[in-house]
Amino acid sequence: LLAWEDLQNIVCGDADCPVELMQSVTDLYGSMDERLQEWFWMMVTEFTPRERSQLLRFISGSSRLPRTGGTAQRLQVYYEGDIDQLPRAATCGWTLSLSDYSSYETMVRLVRVALENCVDIDADYDAENEHYYY
């Protein structure tokens, strides 16, 4: 017999969003050099579980991954060449576009700005205040 917490993790995924699970379902594309790849994974590793969930929600629209990683959809991280720009995401394709960053600190700061200010993928609905804007 399963406890409700175990069943929830199986059905909904792990709320902590483990780094290893994210790595297992992520592809890095473009001319993303080793420096940016290392910075990306260092940032994800240093993020709190809440920040990892925010990052996942920013990229995919969901704050959790299936516990086993058993998903046909994969997170895709692209490098776009601009310098020190906010990251962009396309939730329909689970895609994150990063620019070239002048430093690790700049990358982390700009990603956090995006995560903190993009709280809902539906711009017509304010979840915090439960209000639709039409």
Side-chain angles (χ1 to χ4, degrees), residues 66-98:
R67 189 172 83 170
T68 61
T71 177
Q73 190 84 25
R74 297 184 59 81
L75 299 172
Q76 301 174 55
V77 180
Y78 287 90
Y79 161 73
E80 294 208 319
D82 296 327
I83 296 176
D84 293 341
Q85 300 293 310
L86 287 168
R88 294 180 301 159
T91 56
C92 58
W94 285 28
T95 302
L96 175 67
S97 298
L98 299 172

Side-chain angles (χ1 to χ4, degrees), residues 9-127:
N9 275 342
I10 291 170
V11 174
C12 299
D14 192 337
D16 287 343
C17 199
V19 174
E20 300 79 22
L21 183 56
M22 287 185 75
Q23 287 174 324
S24 74
V25 297
T26 300
D27 297 318
L28 303 175
Y29 291 103
S31 56
M32 199 169 182
D33 62 29
E34 285 185 37
R35 171 186 57 101
L36 287 175
Q37 291 180 30
E38 288 175 23
W39 286 356
F40 177 76
W41 289 117
M42 187 166 49
M43 175 186 68
V44 171
T45 301
E46 291 176 0
F47 273 0
T48 65
R50 180 177 180 272
E51 288 173 315
R52 283 194 299 274
S53 289
Q54 286 177 309
L55 177 63
L56 184 58
R57 190 169 197 294
F58 182 72
I59 300 170
S60 70
S62 175
S63 60
R64 296 177 179 209
L65 286 171
R67 189 172 83 170
T68 61
T71 177
Q73 190 84 25
R74 297 184 59 81
L75 299 172
Q76 301 174 55
V77 180
Y78 287 90
Y79 161 73
E80 294 208 319
D82 296 327
I83 296 176
D84 293 341
Q85 300 293 310
L86 287 168
R88 294 180 301 159
T91 56
C92 58
W94 285 28
T95 302
L96 175 67
S97 298
L98 299 172
S99 71
D100 190 8
Y101 296 101
S102 57
S103 70
Y104 173 72
E105 293 76 18
T106 299
M107 179 175 126
V108 172
R109 180 178 55 81
L110 290 173
V111 169
R112 280 188 169 132
V113 165
L115 299 182
E116 291 166 6
N117 290 287
C118 183
V119 294
D120 200 336
I121 63 169
D122 183 356
D124 294 334
Y125 180 68
D126 180 355

